[in-house]
Amino acid sequence: MKKRTAAAAMFTVAILATAAYAAHPGADYIKENGYKGPETCEECHPGKAKAFLDTVHWKHASKVTNVDGLDPKKEYGMQNRIYVMCNGNDIVNNLKEIPKNPETGKTKFSGCNTCHPGDHLNDVGSKGAEAEKAIDCLVCHSTAYDFRKRKPMKDDKGRVVMGQDRSKEAALAIGKPTAKNCMVCHEAAGGGVIVKRGFSFTKETDAHAAKGMVCVDCHKAKDHKIPTGTDPNNWANDGVRLSCADVSCHGASPHKDADLNRHTAKVACQTCHIPRTGGAFAKDFTVWAQNPDKFYEPTTLKLEANESSPVYAWYNGTVANTPHFIGPKGSKKDGKSKIYPFKIFQGKAFYNKKTGELLSMDFAPPMANGNTRAGVESAARTLGMKNPEQVAKEAVPGWQTIYFASSHLVTKTRALSCANCHAPNGVLNFKELGYSDKEVVKLTSPELFFNKVAAKMKEDW
Amino acid sequence: MKAVVSFLVVAAIVAVSVFGFTKGAQADEIKMVGVITKIEIEGASAKTATATLKDNKTEQLVVITVNDDLTLDKFKDHRIVEGDEIRCKYEVIDGKNISRFFRKTAGC
């Protein structure tokens, strides 16, 4: 009995050792030498830190070729964009200690780039050896990261720095990023949980998550460059694109049914397989409400994942970009567009009275005392605009509408079927999508699918 | 025939009473926003935890029992900590405030 127990124990240890080794071959090195940040990673992964500095996750910007009105030589992204989902950006609303609240005398740290995987001294887009040393590899790669350590604080020189967990324990739990690693930042983007993109990646809400997949199974990185879709509002990209129809995923003919496969020429996969959306649908940056802690916040109206309906539009991958609208371009006739679902968001912010351009905001002043025009003035000053005080004083409130891609909350079982679209009360407004009256009659008639659905009904029951 | 009708009437009354009672016993969902003053969780494998919230409106302390994996994970790795403001929905079941929704109000 003792022999059997000992053998079982040895077998278990061997399995665990193998598992640990399979998890990360460098575990012994880390155990022996401790974890010193990227220089430890570079022992086995040389050049990765330098390469990472050239990615969107570090720069929060890239050249953008598909959006109207942008300079093709410049880089755009969260670093410098002015739009109403955030209204601030990394430049005007940089992480800082905000002014004291006049009622409590208290201050706090706040800013757009709290999710940036550096130490803030080496910030968005920084370069060189110090920047490489500052990369927080573990926040994306460790499953044992202690988030008490990742907080802004002041160093002994009074500079605001972002803490990191560089413990051996966290370093020994590294691997391919889990969904949690990604969602640490992406879940709460835009000012709260399920605000910006309106989805949660759980087995209850997404078919891919239900299969045990994680974000990087689709967004599979090479040299830390992450493939993305062509969300009209997600401008910065690593130059690598991603589609459901990629050969390595579902291919161009994903259904057994040829009729369904014919749809893929004009209808994006998301249109049928992501019938619902959620998240924030409106936000007002011009008036901030006071919270019980006496600090101020803009008010956001939002719904949970799968609680709202998308809007459908033709999209050819190019984007209209005006002060009052950011959204898809495309048409039934251009030969490049497909019908996609979009999450709609409308935000209220200040506009330049003279130029009509949307103005950005430094959140520090309004967060402290509710004065939103002081936030506009501070941002205008940071951006080097002439007469920032005048710009803020004359600024005019207005709304901007943004179309976000709806690319998660994927479902197979609740996907739209024939009658969900091809009916007078279907989710697609064929008339608005550019179809003629004659085509609309044909597209909304049961004649299209009656025999097929009847046969399926008999088969199912 | 009379007996059948009487039986049906009695059965209907009993059914209404039973279903009425069941409905009455269902817990109502209570909504609140408050700041965490205390989190109690035992170890990395804990399947339940309690968080004490100070209700922003009433300033009363409310002890919430949290059982969902996503929130428990956020307690374990300290993405949710004392001092965080929480939007919460809970039901009172057997004297416990069972969380149905537990989210930080803040974002990036």
Side-chain angles (χ1 to χ4, degrees):
Chain A
M1 181 63 189
K2 274 183 184 174
K3 272 185 184 174
R4 199 181 290 174
T5 308
M10 283 173 70
F11 179 73
T12 306
V13 168
I15 291 287
L16 288 173
T18 308
Y21 183 82
H24 188 241
D28 288 342
Y29 178 88
I30 295 169
K31 278 180 196 165
E32 199 173 311
N33 299 285
Y35 183 70
K36 297 166 189 161
E39 69 176 85
T40 300
C41 306
E42 290 264 332
E43 288 289 332
C44 298
H45 307 283
K48 292 293 180 192
K50 188 177 182 185
F52 184 69
L53 301 186
D54 193 34
T55 66
V56 164
H57 275 88
W58 187 260
K59 296 192 300 179
H60 287 184
S62 76
K63 286 182 180 169
V64 180
T65 56
N66 64 327
V67 178
D68 286 354
L70 302 186
D71 183 341
K73 292 175 190 164
K74 291 183 179 172
E75 296 198 333
Y76 298 88
M78 288 186 294
Q79 182 193 29
N80 56 2
R81 278 187 64 188
I82 300 173
Y83 69 129
V84 292
M85 169 47 78
C86 299
N87 203 215
N89 57 43
D90 296 331
I91 293 172
V92 302
N93 189 34
N94 192 12
L95 172 62
K96 61 173 110 30
E97 190 175 36
I98 68 167
K100 285 180 181 171
N101 176 272
E103 292 177 58
T104 62
K106 288 182 181 172
T107 182
K108 64 178 178 178
F109 295 100
S110 180
C112 284
N113 40 351
T114 50
C115 261
H116 183 258
D119 62 2
H120 190 59
L121 298 177
N122 297 278
D123 204 8
V124 176
S126 58
K127 291 177 181 173
E130 287 303 310
E132 288 176 32
K133 285 180 193 169
I135 298 169
D136 191 352
C137 305
L138 302 187
V139 75
C140 297
H141 286 284
S142 173
T143 53
Y145 198 95
D146 183 341
F147 285 89
R148 283 175 297 189
K149 295 176 181 171
R150 198 180 151 77
K151 291 210 177 300
M153 63 191 101
K154 280 191 173 173
D155 68 4
D156 52 8
K157 293 177 183 167
R159 301 174 300 181
V160 176
V161 297
M162 178 60 84
Q164 297 182 5
D165 181 4
R166 291 191 168 187
S167 65
K168 193 187 280 189
E169 188 190 10
L172 286 170
I174 55 172
K176 186 172 83 168
T178 62
K180 178 181 114 176
N181 287 116
C182 302
M183 295 306 266
V184 162
C185 287
H186 290 281
E187 175 186 69
V193 178
I194 312 185
V195 162
K196 191 172 182 180
R197 302 192 181 282
F199 74 88
S200 62
F201 192 74
T202 64
K203 62 182 190 303
E204 292 82 17
T205 59
D206 192 285
H208 293 115
K211 280 188 175 292
M213 292 173 68
V214 296
C215 309
V216 295
D217 285 332
C218 293
H219 298 273
K220 199 170 189 173
K222 191 178 178 190
D223 287 335
H224 288 101
K225 291 186 183 293
I226 313 275
T228 52
T230 46
D231 180 343
N233 187 58
N234 189 24
W235 295 358
N237 65 85
D238 279 324
V240 199
R241 292 302 190 183
L242 167 71
S243 162
C244 314
D246 287 345
V247 180
S248 58
C249 294
H250 297 288
S253 302
H255 308 98
K256 288 176 187 165
D257 184 326
D259 287 339
L260 291 178
N261 283 334
R262 278 194 300 111
H263 281 68
T264 62
K266 293 288 179 190
V267 181
C269 305
Q270 294 92 321
T271 300
C272 298
H273 288 280
I274 307 177
R276 304 288 283 164
T277 182
F281 57 91
K283 189 166 189 168
D284 185 354
F285 284 101
T286 64
V287 179
W288 290 33
Q290 194 170 31
N291 288 336
D293 63 6
K294 305 300 178 189
F295 289 116
Y296 293 76
E297 288 283 340
T299 300
T300 304
L301 305 183
K302 66 172 185 172
L303 291 164
E304 286 304 302
N306 280 324
E307 281 192 349
S308 61
S309 302
V311 167
Y312 299 92
W314 291 101
Y315 183 36
N316 61 19
T318 61
V319 177
N321 171 34
T322 72
H324 293 279
F325 180 78
I326 297 171
K329 289 172 73 176
S331 75
K332 175 176 171 277
K333 294 174 183 170
D334 69 7
K336 299 172 189 169
S337 299
K338 289 186 183 184
I339 297 169
Y340 279 84
F342 295 95
K343 176 207 166 198
I344 298 287
F345 172 80
Q346 292 175 295
K348 190 178 185 183
F350 287 107
Y351 286 80
N352 190 318
K353 189 184 176 187
K354 286 182 181 162
T355 66
E357 294 296 313
L358 181 63
L359 295 164
S360 58
M361 188 181 286
D362 173 6
F363 292 172
M367 195 170 278
N369 57 32
N371 188 344
T372 52
R373 287 184 188 269
V376 172
E377 183 183 330
S378 173
R381 187 168 287 112
T382 300
L383 294 172
M385 293 175 74
K386 287 180 182 172
N387 303 321
E389 199 176 337
Q390 192 72 8
V391 168
K393 193 178 172 187
E394 294 177 352
V396 182
W399 291 89
Q400 183 184 53
T401 299
I402 301 175
Y403 279 49
F404 284 82
S406 190
S407 300
H408 301 88
L409 300 174
V410 176
T411 179
K412 185 175 181 181
T413 54
R414 296 187 309 277
L416 300 180
S417 59
C418 309
N420 294 123
C421 295
H422 295 292
N425 62 343
V427 300
L428 297 182
N429 186 330
F430 291 108
K431 183 78 179 167
E432 278 188 5
L433 287 166
Y435 289 89
S436 68
D437 290 343
K438 197 176 170 186
E439 286 172 318
V440 172
V441 169
K442 188 181 171 190
L443 284 166
T444 55
S445 166
E447 189 70 37
L448 276 177
F449 55 79
F450 194 93
N451 290 340
K452 193 181 189 92
V453 173
K456 181 82 170 52
M457 212 159 73
K458 278 184 187 167
E459 189 184 310
D460 289 348
W461 292 90
Chain B
M1 184 61 188
K2 209 172 183 180
V4 172
V5 171
S6 300
F7 173 76
L8 287 175
V9 169
V10 170
I13 291 168
V14 169
V16 167
S17 306
V18 168
F19 289 117
F21 176 78
T22 306
K23 195 176 178 184
Q26 277 179 348
D28 288 329
E29 207 168 63
I30 301 165
K31 293 177 183 175
M32 69 172 289
V33 178
V35 175
I36 300 178
T37 60
K38 192 177 180 185
I39 294 173
E40 287 183 287
I41 182 165
E42 288 182 13
S45 57
K47 295 288 180 195
T48 187
T50 60
T52 306
L53 304 186
K54 187 176 180 184
D55 191 320
N56 283 349
K57 285 182 182 168
T58 64
E59 298 200 337
Q60 295 291 309
L61 294 177
V62 183
V63 179
I64 307 290
T65 300
V66 175
N67 298 322
D68 76 277
D69 290 340
L70 278 175
T71 308
L72 288 172
D73 197 36
K74 289 176 181 178
F75 288 165
K76 289 170 190 172
D77 65 16
H78 309 289
R79 275 177 287 164
I80 296 180
V81 293
E82 288 168 14
D84 284 340
E85 188 182 65
I86 300 295
R87 196 179 303 278
C88 176
K89 289 182 198 170
Y90 64 89
E91 289 177 23
V92 183
I93 298 174
D94 296 333
K96 286 185 174 177
N97 303 321
I98 307 296
S99 166
R100 297 294 178 226
F101 181 96
F102 198 94
R103 295 260 179 80
K104 276 169 78 165
T105 56
C108 59

